[in-house]
Amino acid sequence: MNIILLGAPGAGKGTQALRIEENYRIKHISTGDIFRHHMRQQTDIGNLARSYIKKGQLVPDEVTLKIVEIALEDAGKINFMLDGFPRNINQAKALDGLVAIDKVINIDVDLKVLTDRICGRRNCMECGYTAHVSTLSDGVCPKCGGEMYQRVDDQEDTVRSRLEVYTAQTAPLIEYYEAQGKLASVNGMGAPDEVFAEIRKVLG
Ligand code: AMP
């Protein structure tokens, strides 16, 4: 099964992706994670991506499409879950020319709660686990003991532009995939386990 996870920044795509990966044999492909990896390694792609990511803007399509094509090849173009891609109609059309998508899961949240969720978000360096800062007693990952850090683009100013980009460029994908008959929306306002229970109903 080839899946796309759609949803605004902070909707819980990464959190649910980890659960889906654990419970179904599906390879998780996160363009954000790939860019962050390149940034840490200071590759040309990473240095270019950083200048956009820091401002809350999208990395240009030609660069993003290149990393997605490589990731899809690595996954054998089968049994994968795209998280954070596509983010605009142009990327979605390009993806249609590359692989067949079976289902698009849209994690639906009230945009008003997102600024707090994202600004308080901390991520584990080691395993990618995500938690709100209010639930952490120290800077250590409750899952693996790795170091928790705040992403460069999780500060308030950047979050504002990310949400604007989402509304203008990414939200139209909901209609795009609805028209293809592939869209399933789940309520993303509940606790992670509740959201995952809804996703299970969709994936079977
Ligand atoms: P994410 O981890 O999915 O929130 O992505 C973090 C940042 O990486 C985004 O705000 C964008 O700057 C960049 N990015 C991730 N995926 C894409 C994409 N599909 N197209 C363009 N930029 C992307």
Side-chain angles (χ1 to χ4, degrees), residues 31-32 36 53 57 59 64 84-85 87 91 151 153 162:
T31 42
R36 282 184 286 278
I53 290 174
Q57 296 170 356
V59 178
T64 305
F85 181 92
R87 259 186 160 89
Q91 292 180 4
R151 283 169 41 171
D153 55 343
R162 287 168 68 198

Side-chain angles (χ1 to χ4, degrees), residues 9-10 13 30-33 35-36 49 52-54 56-61 64 68 83-88 91 121 151 153-154 162:
K13 298 188 295 297
S30 156
T31 42
D33 283 350
F35 284 135
R36 282 184 286 278
Y52 293 92
I53 290 174
K54 269 173 70 176
Q57 296 170 356
L58 295 186
V59 178
D61 285 351
T64 305
V68 168
D83 158 11
F85 181 92
R87 259 186 160 89
N88 59 32
Q91 292 180 4
R121 176 163 71 180
R151 283 169 41 171
D153 55 343
D154 279 354
R162 287 168 68 198

Side-chain angles (χ1 to χ4, degrees), residues 40-58:
R40 279 196 293 273
Q41 303 292 316
Q42 303 196 349
T43 66
D44 290 346
I45 288 179
N47 293 334
L48 178 97
R50 181 180 287 108
S51 59
Y52 293 92
I53 290 174
K54 269 173 70 176
K55 288 186 266 183
Q57 296 170 356
L58 295 186

